[in-house]
Amino acid sequence: MQLGAPPPPPAAAAAAAAVWRAPTFEARRAADAREILAALLPPSPTVRQVQQAHARLAVLGLAASRAMPHLLAVLPRLLPDKPRHRGDDGGGDGDHYAYPLALFRRANSTSAFASNNLLRVLPHPLPLTLFSRFRRRNPHSFTFLLASISNHLNAAGPSASACSFLGSHVHALAVKAGAAGDLFVRNALVHFYGVSGDVGAMRRVFDELPRVRDVLTWNEVLAGYVRAGMMTVAREVFDEMPVRDEISWSTLVGGYVKEEELEVALGVFRNMVEQGVRPNQAAVVTALSAAARLGLLEHGKFVHNVVQRSGMPVCMNVGAALVDMYAKCGCVAVAREVFDGMRRRDVFAWNAMICGLAAHGLGRDAVELFERFISEGLSPTNVTFVGVLNGCSRSGLVAEGRRYFKLMVEKYRIEPEMEHYGCMVDLLGRAGLVPEAIELIEGMHIAPDPVLWGTILSSCKTHGLVDLGVSVGNKLIELDPTHSGYYVLLSGIYAKANKWDDVREVRKLMSSRGTSKSAGWSLMEAHGKVHKFLVGDTYHKDSVQIYDTLDMINKRLTEAGYVPDVSSVLHDIGEEEKVHAVKVHSERLAIAYGFIVLEAGSPIRIVKNLRVCGDCHEFIAGNADELTGVKQVQRRIREAGCEVLRVDHAGGMEEGHAKHGRADWG
């Protein structure tokens, strides 16, 4: 098509034009509406843009009835859960669906092309209502009708399960019309049954006509099993696929992440790259999520390198995932570099950065970033405030925490959730304001989670509030008798007060109720492999060398003045036995192994499932509170020859960072 542009304006007039205007077109007589729409519209137009193009057709005298089906064809699918308000695309709520219906009526056409595009555009249940009125149908009519039902089921979740029978009814209509053998209809049927959770019917449709399949058919079956959590069967389907594309691989990666098989997911992603398949954004985001949750930096860096080598643009989703991964793997500075380098940021990227700063104890930085977030006119979410309040808690910003909690409720009308109360209770408890924390819990508008009282119990142990701690501890044990952590905290309070008889009673109670303490473990990543250590572990292939290295570290630290803190040992045993008990904690074994296998200057990053005990923190980082300054801590570490950076806490998951060869305290 040739579209002629009007003569350019004089130079002076062009210079005076401060506002860009959409180009005008002079269409030749032979041009049709489809060609002009292709020239006027972007690849994924909004309703408003389609209406503007419609107006242009009218100006050009091409808005005849034959143009209406083409306008329908370029309309986006409308969503029922996002009603338009006056000024939004498509006008007010009342005419949300009026425009596509008006186009269909003006088309004055009985063609299946117009009917099918109306089915595609309108959300459930309108396509079902209109389907019986259409005089002409083809196999695509059933495809769009099934897609409408599937989209509704996918969006509404279990609440829409009663609509599942409608898809079966459409299936019967397709069989009756002789359309059930069409490839597109079969793919729509497999997708519908997968979304509805009927994997039996999904498999029957898949197996009925083995020759009527393509890669999309296989992907839909794979996705159906992934949705159902049947990863063993999903892997069998994946291995049987004659052809796989990037969607096949990303679906499998996402399935393993969904089922918490994170290391397997990362292995599948690496295998995909090694086989020369270019990952899509879904696979990248999912793999970064797995690396972040495990705290495996090398795996996360591998994914980032794949993004860079493939030339994939760092969109908002990928950028937010990278920020989250680097922050959770301990590289908060790199996370900030990625964040600052993003051209566009959505609230998820801001939340990831704010929460990352907070988790690393950089509360003031988190607060400053939040203020910048607000100044740019963005609206915070409940997650944003979790990050801000957590930052206040970890940095002791009591006044700021109170102010932001009040701001969240009064200005942004966000109802506090358990996470927000948890941050506030932790903030007050760390500051020694335990009575105020209890008052906050008792005034909650929702039933308090036992975890909140567990935070109070931990604060009682920290601040030596034995009587209050005993009262809260006994209450918690009655509320949740299966939670081992509450018994351990209560035992710790008794042990700190040298009430060993009470410690034994708590342990007897714990044993009689069949509750056992969670085993602590530490993960360390080295040369692309993940090594797991348990307390007193002797199963590692380099176990002898690990213990020799640990003995060397202990000896040199002792020579430098290190004295073990055995208060975390909750057994009435001799001092020497207590010292031995803390010496073989899993994080120490991981650090010793890091000294063996990593080059000098390389960071040793450790991920734990439990909180680091006080003595292990002292062993790794030293206690700056007992010395006169950071420089003395650095000198003490250097003199010991065990130059370890620090351990950071991130809620229940802890990311430890150790660096040998030099001391770097930032």
Side-chain angles (χ1 to χ4, degrees):
M1 169 191 173
Q2 296 178 350
L3 295 174
V19 181
W20 179 87
R21 290 185 175 84
T24 58
F25 298 101
E26 294 178 356
R28 55 184 176 79
R29 294 183 182 277
D32 63 14
R34 182 170 52 185
E35 292 177 286
I36 295 178
L37 288 174
L40 288 174
L41 292 172
S44 301
T46 64
V47 176
R48 176 60 60 86
Q49 288 170 330
V50 175
Q51 290 174 326
Q52 290 172 337
H54 187 175
R56 184 63 54 82
L57 289 177
V59 170
L60 295 172
L62 296 173
S65 59
R66 64 177 180 274
M68 300 301 109
H70 298 299
L71 285 165
L72 267 175
V74 295
L75 274 175
R77 183 170 62 87
L78 302 179
L79 303 177
D81 54 340
K82 292 183 179 179
R84 269 70 169 172
H85 299 284
R86 186 66 60 184
D88 292 341
D89 290 352
D93 291 344
D95 59 358
H96 185 192
Y97 313 127
Y99 181 61
L101 289 170
L103 289 177
F104 182 74
R105 284 192 295 268
R106 284 205 57 202
N108 193 25
S109 171
T110 58
S111 71
F113 177 78
S115 303
N116 290 345
N117 274 296
L118 187 63
L119 293 176
R120 178 188 60 81
V121 168
L122 295 176
H124 179 82
L126 289 174
L128 278 171
T129 306
L130 296 171
F131 184 77
S132 60
R133 305 179 191 175
F134 294 154
R135 287 175 284 177
R136 291 192 182 180
R137 304 169 188 164
N138 61 17
H140 293 302
S141 306
F142 296 97
T143 302
F144 289 125
L145 188 57
L146 286 165
S148 169
I149 299 171
S150 298
N151 290 333
H152 176 65
L153 287 170
N154 208 26
S159 63
S161 58
C163 296
S164 297
F165 78 95
L166 294 173
S168 301
H169 179 64
V170 176
H171 186 178
L173 290 175
V175 171
K176 184 177 179 181
D182 179 82
L183 175 62
F184 295 101
V185 175
R186 299 198 71 76
N187 288 346
L189 284 168
V190 170
H191 177 67
F192 159 72
Y193 284 119
V195 170
S196 65
D198 190 348
V199 293
M202 176 191 75
R203 189 66 193 229
R204 285 194 296 274
V205 173
F206 178 74
D207 290 336
E208 276 174 357
L209 298 175
R211 294 188 178 183
V212 188
R213 295 174 183 168
D214 62 2
V215 68
L216 178 59
T217 321
W218 285 91
N219 285 343
E220 292 295 357
V221 172
L222 181 64
Y225 284 123
V226 165
R227 285 190 192 94
M230 302 169 67
M231 287 307 301
T232 302
V233 185
R235 187 56 188 257
E236 292 173 359
V237 170
F238 180 82
D239 292 338
E240 292 172 8
M241 292 180 70
V243 178
R244 306 185 189 107
D245 60 9
E246 69 277 5
I247 296 175
S248 316
W249 288 93
S250 66
T251 301
L252 192 66
V253 173
Y256 281 121
V257 171
K258 175 174 169 280
E259 297 303 317
E260 298 294 329
E261 297 184 55
L262 305 178
E263 291 183 58
V264 179
L266 290 171
V268 171
F269 182 87
R270 187 177 290 267
N271 191 17
M272 171 179 60
V273 174
E274 290 172 351
Q275 292 196 22
V277 180
R278 178 176 175 172
N280 56 18
Q281 290 182 359
V284 166
V285 170
T286 308
L288 288 170
S289 169
R293 287 158 68 177
L294 286 172
L296 301 180
L297 180 64
E298 288 185 34
H299 283 78
K301 282 184 173 179
F302 173 78
V303 180
H304 193 183
N305 288 337
V306 169
V307 171
Q308 293 172 325
R309 290 199 311 266
S310 66
M312 179 184 295
V314 180
C315 64
M316 288 189 288
N317 287 343
V318 173
L322 283 168
V323 170
D324 183 58
M325 182 276 293
Y326 279 117
K328 288 180 178 175
C329 289
C331 298
V332 68
V334 181
R336 189 61 186 262
E337 287 178 13
V338 173
F339 177 81
D340 290 339
M342 293 177 65
R343 293 182 179 181
R344 295 178 59 213
R345 310 181 192 97
D346 58 8
V347 68
F348 299 104
W350 286 92
N351 287 349
M353 193 67 251
I354 291 171
C355 292
L357 291 168
H360 286 269
L362 303 172
R364 294 194 181 278
D365 291 336
V367 167
E368 288 176 8
L369 190 62
F370 174 75
E371 292 294 345
R372 179 179 155 196
F373 171 86
I374 297 299
S375 68
E376 293 193 11
L378 299 168
S379 297
T381 65
N382 57 342
V383 176
T384 316
F385 278 104
V386 169
V388 173
L389 294 174
N390 188 31
C392 293
S393 172
R394 292 174 183 275
S395 299
L397 306 176
V398 178
E400 291 86 346
R402 288 174 176 147
R403 181 167 65 85
Y404 286 125
F405 188 80
K406 184 178 180 181
L407 187 74
M408 175 183 74
V409 176
E410 296 183 357
K411 180 175 181 179
Y412 294 101
R413 305 298 179 186
I414 296 175
E415 285 294 321
E417 298 177 3
M418 205 63 67
E419 292 83 356
H420 303 111
Y421 284 114
C423 291
M424 287 301 297
V425 170
D426 188 51
L427 168 66
L428 298 170
R430 286 173 185 252
L433 303 172
V434 180
E436 184 178 343
I438 293 175
E439 184 180 346
L440 178 65
I441 294 175
E442 292 175 343
M444 287 171 56
H445 70 282
I446 55 177
D449 191 293
V451 174
L452 297 183
W453 288 109
T455 305
I456 295 292
L457 183 58
S458 180
S459 299
C460 290
K461 179 185 176 183
T462 301
H463 298 290
L465 304 175
V466 177
D467 293 337
L468 180 59
V470 169
S471 174
V472 173
N474 287 321
K475 178 180 179 180
L476 268 173
I477 289 172
E478 293 305 315
L479 284 173
D480 190 356
T482 62
H483 196 298
S484 62
Y486 302 146
Y487 295 91
V488 174
L489 280 171
L490 183 56
S491 296
I493 289 174
Y494 282 131
K496 198 169 185 179
N498 292 319
K499 296 184 176 183
W500 296 109
D501 290 338
D502 292 318
V503 171
R504 282 189 285 271
E505 288 300 318
V506 172
R507 290 197 166 272
K508 284 181 183 177
L509 181 62
M510 187 176 180
S511 178
S512 67
R513 292 180 174 178
T515 304
S516 59
K517 181 182 176 182
S518 300
W521 50 255
S522 295
L523 297 180
M524 197 206 72
E525 190 180 18
H527 307 305
K529 292 184 178 180
V530 179
H531 301 266
K532 186 174 183 178
F533 298 91
L534 303 175
V535 59
D537 199 342
T538 58
Y539 294 103
H540 196 280
K541 65 181 181 66
D542 297 319
S543 183
V544 174
Q545 193 177 359
I546 289 171
Y547 278 95
D548 287 344
T549 303
L550 188 57
D551 287 342
M552 178 272 294
I553 295 172
N554 284 323
K555 180 181 178 181
R556 299 181 73 173
L557 276 174
T558 301
E559 292 171 354
Y562 158 70
V563 178
D565 175 10
V566 296
S567 61
S568 62
V569 182
L570 304 180
H571 296 279
D572 189 12
I573 56 178
E575 197 71 16
E576 188 175 336
E577 293 171 286
K578 290 183 178 181
V579 170
H580 175 74
V582 297
K583 279 185 176 180
V584 293
H585 281 182
S586 61
E587 54 266 51
R588 301 194 187 199
L589 300 178
I591 289 172
Y593 186 64
F595 272 78
I596 295 169
V597 299
L598 298 178
E599 296 178 359
S602 300
I604 304 172
R605 290 184 172 82
I606 301 164
V607 177
K608 280 188 59 62
N609 66 327
L610 300 176
R611 182 175 292 277
V612 176
C613 75
D615 184 65
C616 284
H617 192 281
E618 169 73 8
F619 170 86
I620 296 168
N623 191 340
D625 294 336
E626 296 177 358
L627 303 172
T628 58
V630 172
K631 289 184 179 179
Q632 287 179 281
V633 179
Q634 292 175 316
R635 184 170 66 251
R636 172 183 175 184
I637 296 294
R638 283 196 297 272
E639 288 171 353
C642 176
E643 288 150 351
V644 199
L645 184 56
R646 65 181 181 271
V647 170
D648 293 325
H649 304 290
M653 186 70 79
E654 310 191 10
E655 289 124 15
H657 310 268
K659 185 172 292 184
H660 59 286
R662 69 184 181 89
D664 180 7
W665 293 78

